[in-house]
């Protein structure tokens, strides 16, 4: 069943979206009706074979088997897919074994993920590397792993051949192409997992928004990359037509389901709240176990020093728990209003979930603009969520902000633990001498001029190098149709020196076991938000002179061995492109992949 786009029906106007069939969760999730799939609208583009559009190019190269499959052609006359989706209604077995469908699946999910960010944030987003296209490699290697590699501008998706899944040791042989270009339908393909594709695309998009989050920082920083990637994967499932409805269960003849099937506990055990069901089952050798089910964590205010949460994925699960808990709470509240005599209408129940998930996803994405450009910590995200949502939806009548705040509080995370200044409350008046608002929306020198005139207001110490890295205008439309136009400017400060030099300059003594000749770099910086009249509204900053934070960061880097040759805090010493590739070995914890 293909979805009609109302805009496309206007005579002569080009289609704004293409309808594409995708696997809605992964091939293991479904029922007697078969694998759960969805027909989703994907932003229209000129599609060359690959498919290849202006932001993504699918290249089907398998490095294990050293096979390059031919590019998939989905195009009809106008550069888009054929009017009828070529994969609509085809049996599961055919989709699983057709490399062209695999190519469509990664393309469609990646393009939808980027579109979700762009529509929430209100502008086009650039990648974190030079170039316009991100390569998507659906069968990159015989490994149950997938990762974003910024050095090759690609997301690489691995697969697990059936023999490897049965526990046979030895090297996997790589992709086997059977007769007529068919793939083995019994293998586990990470490119067919919605959650894996959305997760990896999110790493790439976040890298474009906050490139310095890849620098060696506090442990919350890599955890944010992982947590946000999971959050985007989980929440975007709700925007697929019919998927939440089918996962909630079957309705009776009057379209109702029992109230008990949407209790807090039932909702949290639903596939909607877990991640990568098939990949998880294959790795854990246990049917029905998802790769991550963060919602089952037990909140604790003392988690931060617990070694269980030191690995980035595990630490990121704290954020995932917080957002899912918020979703469950808001969804339950909305369901209470439509529950009568122990039952609830299935369509309405799914719609309420989709509305809540959509709003939360938008909140999380918009909050990224309000984050400082460096030195991320969890309280920064809470403050950014609350303040940016307050700008968009001044009247929080559904209680999203209160629910978010209290879910963070369960883990002892408070917005007060970050420096987010509301400049309209300052006792100093901002100076806009000779400032051009038009230039302020795009010119880094103009923003620097504003900073230079307002060092006291912004509490920036000019003894340290200041560099305005990005100025990004955005236009957002709130749920009530209100337009919020803003400009987001990010600057950084840094200082580099030997341990003795840093001690003299800012009184920071690096840990005693750092050799005296080590080149140590410390960072600071901030994000300034200007309103539609060019007036500065907020300043979210990481003071370079915050000795406690700097010491915490250096201690963390030293105790985790994150040196690069004779430098500390400059690079984490990992080979290029390997940051998100925590390779899966048979004996490592499956939780440590992607
Ligand atoms: Zn990841």
């Amino acid at each position: 069943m293909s979805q009609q786009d109302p805009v496309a029906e206007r005579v002569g106007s080009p289609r704004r979206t293409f309808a594409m069939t995708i696997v809605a969760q992964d091939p293991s999730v479904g029922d007697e009706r078969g694998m759960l799939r969805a027909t989703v609208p994907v932003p229209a583009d000129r599609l060359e074979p690959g498919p290849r559009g202006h932001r993504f190019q699918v290249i089907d190269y398998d490095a294990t088997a050293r096979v390059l499959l031919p590019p998939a052609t989905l195009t009809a006359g106008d550069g888009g897919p054929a009017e009828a989706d070529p994969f609509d209604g085809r049996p599961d077995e055919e989709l699983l074994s057709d490399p062209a469908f695999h190519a469509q699946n990664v393309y469609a999910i990646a393009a939808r993920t980027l579109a979700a960010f762009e529509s929430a944030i209100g502008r086009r987003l650039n990648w974190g590397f030079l170039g316009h296209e991100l390569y998507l490699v659906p069968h990159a290697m015989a490994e149950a792993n997938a990762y974003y590699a910024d050095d090759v501008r690609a997301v690489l998706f691995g697969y697990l051949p059936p023999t490897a899944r049965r526990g046979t040791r030895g090297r996997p042989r790589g992709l086997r192409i059977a007769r007529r270009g068919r793939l083995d339908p019994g293998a586990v393909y990470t490119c067919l997992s919605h959650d894996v594709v959305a997760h990896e695309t999110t790493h790439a998009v976040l890298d474009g928004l906050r490139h310095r989050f890849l620098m060696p920082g506090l442990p919350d920083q890599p955890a944010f990359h992982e947590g946000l990637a999971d959050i985007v994967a989980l929440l975007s499932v709700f925007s697929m037509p019919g998927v939440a409805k089918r996962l909630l269960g079957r309705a009776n003849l009057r379209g109702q389901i029992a109230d008990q099937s949407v209790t807090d506990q039932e909702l949290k055990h639903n596939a909607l709240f877990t991640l990568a069901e098939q990949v998880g089952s294959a790795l854990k050798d246990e049917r029905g176990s998802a790769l991550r089910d963060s919602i089952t964590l037990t909140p604790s205010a003392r988690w931060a020093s617990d070694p269980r949460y030191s690995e980035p994925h595990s630490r990121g699960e704290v954020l995932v728990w917080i957002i899912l808990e918020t979703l469950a709470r808001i969804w339950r509240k909305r369901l209470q209003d439509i529950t009568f005599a122990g039952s609830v209408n299935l369509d309405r129940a799914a719609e309420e979930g989709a509305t809540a998930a959509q709003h939360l996803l938008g909140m999380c994405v918009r909050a990224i603009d309000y984050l400082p450009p460096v030195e991320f910590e969890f309280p920064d995200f809470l403050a950014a969520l609350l303040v940016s949502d307050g700008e968009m939806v001044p009247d929080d009548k559904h209680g999203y902000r209160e629910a978010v705040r209290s879910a963070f509080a369960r883990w002892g995370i408070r917005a007060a633990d970050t420096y987010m200044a509301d400049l309209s409350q300052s006792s100093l008046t901002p100076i806009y001498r000779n400032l051009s608002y038009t230039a302020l929306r795009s010119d880094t020198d103009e923003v620097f001029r504003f900073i230079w005139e307002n060092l006291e207001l912004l509490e920036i110490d000019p003894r340290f190098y200041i560099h305005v890295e990005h100025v990004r205008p955005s236009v957002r439309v709130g749920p009530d149709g209100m337009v919020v136009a803003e400009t987001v400017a990010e600057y950084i400060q840094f200082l580099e020196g030997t341990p003795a030099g840093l001690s003299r300059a800012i009184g920071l003594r690096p840990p005693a076991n750092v050799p005296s000749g080590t080149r140590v770099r410390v960072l600071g910086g901030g994000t300034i938000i200007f309103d539609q009249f060019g007036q500065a509204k907020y300043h979210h900053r990481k003071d370079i002179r915050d000795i406690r934070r700097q010491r915490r960061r250096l201690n963390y880097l030293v105790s985790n061995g994150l040196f690069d040759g004779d430098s500390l805090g400059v690079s984490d010493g990992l080979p290029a492109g390997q940051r998100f590739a925590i390779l899966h070995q048979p004996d490592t914890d499956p939780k440590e992949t992607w």
Side-chain angles (χ1 to χ4, degrees), residues 199-200 203 226 313 594:
H199 177 108
E200 297 308 332
H203 278 311
E226 298 306 334
H313 294 83
W594 66 279

PDB file of all heavy atoms in Angstrom, residues 199-200 203 226 313 594, ligand 1:
ATOM      1  N   HIS A 199      20.531   4.721  14.277  1.00  0.00           N
ATOM      2  CA  HIS A 199      21.575   4.996  15.265  1.00  0.00           C
ATOM      3  C   HIS A 199      22.843   5.517  14.586  1.00  0.00           C
ATOM      4  O   HIS A 199      23.390   6.557  14.964  1.00  0.00           O
ATOM      5  CB  HIS A 199      21.861   3.704  16.048  1.00  0.00           C
ATOM      6  CG  HIS A 199      22.963   3.784  17.061  1.00  0.00           C
ATOM      7  ND1 HIS A 199      22.731   3.780  18.421  1.00  0.00           N
ATOM      8  CD2 HIS A 199      24.315   3.855  16.921  1.00  0.00           C
ATOM      9  CE1 HIS A 199      23.885   3.857  19.067  1.00  0.00           C
ATOM     10  NE2 HIS A 199      24.872   3.897  18.179  1.00  0.00           N
ATOM     11  N   GLU A 200      23.314   4.805  13.575  1.00  0.00           N
ATOM     12  CA  GLU A 200      24.567   5.200  12.917  1.00  0.00           C
ATOM     13  C   GLU A 200      24.415   6.528  12.175  1.00  0.00           C
ATOM     14  O   GLU A 200      25.339   7.347  12.161  1.00  0.00           O
ATOM     15  CB  GLU A 200      25.046   4.105  11.960  1.00  0.00           C
ATOM     16  CG  GLU A 200      25.391   2.787  12.653  1.00  0.00           C
ATOM     17  CD  GLU A 200      26.353   2.931  13.819  1.00  0.00           C
ATOM     18  OE1 GLU A 200      27.171   3.861  13.821  1.00  0.00           O
ATOM     19  OE2 GLU A 200      26.253   2.112  14.762  1.00  0.00           O
ATOM     20  N   HIS A 203      24.857   9.329  14.610  1.00  0.00           N
ATOM     21  CA  HIS A 203      26.264   9.649  14.901  1.00  0.00           C
ATOM     22  C   HIS A 203      26.794  10.645  13.861  1.00  0.00           C
ATOM     23  O   HIS A 203      27.467  11.618  14.196  1.00  0.00           O
ATOM     24  CB  HIS A 203      27.140   8.400  14.828  1.00  0.00           C
ATOM     25  CG  HIS A 203      27.130   7.554  16.073  1.00  0.00           C
ATOM     26  ND1 HIS A 203      27.313   8.074  17.334  1.00  0.00           N
ATOM     27  CD2 HIS A 203      26.984   6.211  16.248  1.00  0.00           C
ATOM     28  CE1 HIS A 203      27.280   7.084  18.232  1.00  0.00           C
ATOM     29  NE2 HIS A 203      27.071   5.944  17.598  1.00  0.00           N
ATOM     30  N   GLU A 226      26.263   8.031  21.994  1.00  0.00           N
ATOM     31  CA  GLU A 226      25.577   6.731  21.976  1.00  0.00           C
ATOM     32  C   GLU A 226      24.117   6.849  22.422  1.00  0.00           C
ATOM     33  O   GLU A 226      23.226   6.269  21.801  1.00  0.00           O
ATOM     34  CB  GLU A 226      26.313   5.728  22.874  1.00  0.00           C
ATOM     35  CG  GLU A 226      27.741   5.430  22.434  1.00  0.00           C
ATOM     36  CD  GLU A 226      27.852   4.979  20.990  1.00  0.00           C
ATOM     37  OE1 GLU A 226      26.862   4.423  20.443  1.00  0.00           O
ATOM     38  OE2 GLU A 226      28.924   5.203  20.387  1.00  0.00           O
ATOM     39  N   HIS A 313      28.424   3.181  25.803  1.00  0.00           N
ATOM     40  CA  HIS A 313      27.058   2.718  25.528  1.00  0.00           C
ATOM     41  C   HIS A 313      26.263   2.561  26.820  1.00  0.00           C
ATOM     42  O   HIS A 313      25.103   2.950  26.891  1.00  0.00           O
ATOM     43  CB  HIS A 313      27.053   1.377  24.774  1.00  0.00           C
ATOM     44  CG  HIS A 313      27.623   1.459  23.398  1.00  0.00           C
ATOM     45  ND1 HIS A 313      28.971   1.404  23.151  1.00  0.00           N
ATOM     46  CD2 HIS A 313      27.027   1.599  22.200  1.00  0.00           C
ATOM     47  CE1 HIS A 313      29.172   1.503  21.860  1.00  0.00           C
ATOM     48  NE2 HIS A 313      28.021   1.624  21.252  1.00  0.00           N
ATOM     49  N   TRP A 594      28.427  -1.404  18.382  1.00  0.00           N
ATOM     50  CA  TRP A 594      27.816  -0.159  17.890  1.00  0.00           C
ATOM     51  C   TRP A 594      27.108   0.613  18.952  1.00  0.00           C
ATOM     52  O   TRP A 594      26.515   1.594  18.826  1.00  0.00           O
ATOM     53  CB  TRP A 594      26.904  -0.408  16.662  1.00  0.00           C
ATOM     54  CG  TRP A 594      25.695  -1.212  16.937  1.00  0.00           C
ATOM     55  CD1 TRP A 594      25.623  -2.561  17.033  1.00  0.00           C
ATOM     56  CD2 TRP A 594      24.368  -0.728  17.182  1.00  0.00           C
ATOM     57  NE1 TRP A 594      24.353  -2.941  17.316  1.00  0.00           N
ATOM     58  CE2 TRP A 594      23.567  -1.850  17.398  1.00  0.00           C
ATOM     59  CE3 TRP A 594      23.801   0.550  17.222  1.00  0.00           C
ATOM     60  CZ2 TRP A 594      22.218  -1.737  17.670  1.00  0.00           C
ATOM     61  CZ3 TRP A 594      22.452   0.658  17.493  1.00  0.00           C
ATOM     62  CH2 TRP A 594      21.666  -0.474  17.717  1.00  0.00           C
TER      63      TRP A 594
HETATM   64 ZN1  LIG B   1      26.974   4.020  18.431  1.00  0.00          ZN
END
